[in-house]
Each structure stands twice: as C-alpha cells, then as structure tokens.
Amino acid sequence: MIYIGSHISASGGFAEMGKTALKLGADTFAFFTRNPRGGKAKDIDEKDVAALQQIMDEHNFGPLVAHAPYTMNLCSDKADIRKFAKDMFADDMKRMEYLPGNYYNFHPGSHVGQGVETGIDYIVEAMNEVLFPEMKTMVLLEGMAGKGSEIGRNFEELRAIIDKVELKDKVGVCLDTCHLWEAGYDIVTKLDEVLELFDQIVGADRLRAIHLNDSKNPIEAHKDRHELLGEGHIGKDALAAVIRHPRLQGKPFILETPNDDAGYAKEIAWVRSVMQ
C-alpha cells in the first residue's frame, strides 16, 4: 500500500487543500510553502491548520510533502541569494511545525560553476544553521535530473550532503521517477538494481517519498521534462512496477505531471487500480 496525491494550490488555505485532495481521491498531497518563485508567505491561520489536521485524521492521510520554492538556491554563487534562500528555509521550518510529522522537500540547488564540493558545503552550512533538534518535520533532499549545475544528480551527491549534516535524523530523500530516468538510472529494465544501489549508497531508510512522473525524454537526457503517466519514455508498465515495489510501500507518492484536477483524479484512480 502507498499513499497517493498530487500538487495542490495552497491559495485557498490548508483545509481547502485537504478537501481538494479528497475530491481527487487522494490521501496525501504536496503544496508549495509560498509562491513557487519565492517571496513572503501568508500568515498561518491555526484554525485552518486544525481543520486540515482533522480531515487528515478522519481519512487516514499519509505524510504531506510540502515543497520549497524553486528560487531557494542554498548554494548560489551570490551571497545575497544564499541568504535569501536560507531565510526562506528557516521561516519554512518554523511554519512546518504547525503541521508536525510531515515532510519538507527541496531541490538541493545549483552550484553555478563553483563546483559540486563548494556547492555541497554551502548547502550543508545552511542546513546545519537552520535544522534544530526539537523539529518534528523531516527535510527531504530531492534527487535531480542533472540539468545544468544541479546538485543531487546522483546518489553519491545526496549521500555527500547527508554525511555532513549534523542532525542526520531530520534528513531523508525524495526520489522522482522522471529525474531518476533522466539522470541515467534505468528504472524501466533495472528497477531492483537501482533501488539496491540507492540502499548501498544512501540507505533505504532515508527514502521517504516518491514523485511519480513519466518523462518526455529518453534516459540520461538531463533535462527534467515531466510527462503524463504512461505517455512518456518510462511508460505505464514500469511505473506500475514502481508503485507495487515492496521497497516503496507505505510511502507518499506525489504526482507532478502536467495536469489539471480532472487529469490528476484520473491518474490517481489509475494508480489505485494498479495497487490492487
């Protein structure tokens, strides 16, 4: 059994997101903590948060997977951008504590020509300043497709970040099927081997969430172009194998396909049919 949901707009508030998830047939969902391009977040309405928590409790939701803004580049080559990113990160960690026990997913960042080692050092520096022992949120590093100077393009880079983080128990990983495929991991014909390799390098216990997407591109394209389930180069058979894989049970699966609500509802229904 897995939990399945999609990205949902946060513009209507927390309870409204929960209601939308139910309409889609979901039992988890993802949302941006603020505008995907960054900026100030809305004030927290504790009654609204409590209403969402009630929906989640009544309908046996799995962990939610909040997403950081795309502009949060903790390893930029510009100090002001790194500070902007770290301030957003710290603010989001405080806000996430209103919904304890959920996940906060972020793209590790782009080193912009400084080199992977320098980029990782900046990411770790920010994480070590922001994470705190009492936090109830698990921070997830997202594996990337390897576009440009992205960090997190392979399991070794994810492990290198985790190794330097002081509060390792607060850090997990989110794997994206499109990103894996475009990074060069053959999840179509060698899914078992890919997951075993992840276990050997990062550790299976670190894998907390899956982004379930098809890919517009062939393997190792390094472009990060998501496609509707079954309409890309990964295909429905391979995605069904991911959904049913024993190592991935009990985790939230989030759709990030180029879809509207009706499309998400259709894909969620397909995932549920595959689970049976």
Side-chain angles (χ1 to χ4, degrees), residues 2 29 36 48 55 66 74 83 86 111 116 125 140 153 161 170 184-185 187 197-198 217 225 236 250 260 274 276:
I2 65 171
F29 61 88
D48 188 29
I55 291 172
L74 296 173
K83 183 181 185 304
K86 187 173 67 175
H111 63 73
V116 172
E125 179 183 347
L140 305 185
R153 67 183 61 205
I161 295 170
K170 309 297 183 184
Y185 293 101
I187 59 172
L197 184 64
F198 179 87
N217 295 303
R225 297 290 305 283
K236 277 194 172 179
D260 56 16
V274 168
Q276 297 175 355

Side-chain angles (χ1 to χ4, degrees), residues 177 181 187-189 191 212 233-244 270:
T177 50
W181 175 253
I187 59 172
V188 172
T189 67
L191 178 60
L212 188 69
H233 286 261
I234 299 174
K236 277 194 172 179
D237 288 345
L239 292 170
V242 171
I243 292 163
R244 290 193 289 251
W270 176 77

Side-chain angles (χ1 to χ4, degrees), residues 29-91:
F29 61 88
F31 65 96
F32 283 103
T33 55
R34 61 191 70 215
N35 186 296
R37 298 301 166 191
K40 189 178 185 302
K42 292 182 179 179
D43 292 337
I44 295 285
D45 180 342
E46 294 191 41
K47 290 183 179 178
D48 188 29
V49 173
L52 170 59
Q53 191 64 62
Q54 183 174 349
I55 291 172
M56 293 173 61
D57 292 343
E58 290 177 353
H59 296 276
N60 299 312
F61 272 44
L64 305 184
V65 187
H67 203 300
Y70 293 132
T71 50
M72 197 181 89
N73 186 8
L74 296 173
C75 58
S76 171
D77 59 338
K78 295 180 173 60
D80 60 332
I81 295 177
R82 291 198 304 273
K83 183 181 185 304
F84 173 72
K86 187 173 67 175
D87 289 347
M88 275 198 298
F89 185 24
D91 187 44

Side-chain angles (χ1 to χ4, degrees), residues 88-252:
M88 275 198 298
F89 185 24
D91 187 44
D92 279 351
M93 288 300 92
K94 293 174 184 175
R95 296 167 61 84
M96 286 296 296
E97 291 303 288
Y98 286 92
L99 273 170
N102 292 293
Y103 297 147
Y104 178 84
N105 179 72
F106 76 98
H107 296 177
S110 296
H111 63 73
V112 204
Q114 301 173 99
V116 172
E117 288 188 14
T118 297
I120 287 175
D121 284 344
Y122 279 136
I123 294 165
V124 171
E125 179 183 347
M127 293 180 72
N128 284 338
E129 286 186 33
V130 169
L131 303 187
F132 54 97
E134 301 81 16
M135 62 188 286
K136 300 296 191 296
T137 301
M138 174 73 71
V139 173
L140 305 185
L141 300 164
E142 183 170 347
M144 304 307 295
K147 179 178 60 178
S149 63
E150 286 179 336
I151 292 178
R153 67 183 61 205
N154 55 49
F155 299 157
E156 287 81 2
E157 290 182 7
L158 296 173
R159 176 60 188 266
I161 295 170
I162 295 169
D163 278 347
K164 294 184 177 183
V165 174
E166 293 166 1
L167 297 176
K168 291 178 174 55
D169 62 319
K170 309 297 183 184
V171 183
V173 170
C174 173
L175 291 180
D176 182 304
T177 50
C178 171
H179 295 178
L180 280 169
W181 175 253
E182 294 200 23
Y185 293 101
D186 185 359
I187 59 172
V188 172
T189 67
K190 298 179 180 178
L191 178 60
D192 286 337
E193 290 92 330
V194 170
L195 292 177
E196 176 60 27
L197 184 64
F198 179 87
D199 187 21
Q200 292 174 7
I201 295 173
V202 181
D205 60 320
R206 297 281 179 197
L207 181 53
R208 296 305 181 101
I210 302 292
H211 284 168
L212 188 69
N213 306 296
D214 213 322
S215 170
K216 290 183 182 292
N217 295 303
I219 192 170
E220 212 166 351
H222 303 300
K223 291 183 179 179
D224 191 4
R225 297 290 305 283
H226 296 193
E227 181 57 283
L228 301 175
L229 301 186
E231 296 189 18
H233 286 261
I234 299 174
K236 277 194 172 179
D237 288 345
L239 292 170
V242 171
I243 292 163
R244 290 193 289 251
H245 200 283
R247 285 187 183 234
L248 304 179
Q249 298 311 294
K251 303 184 191 305

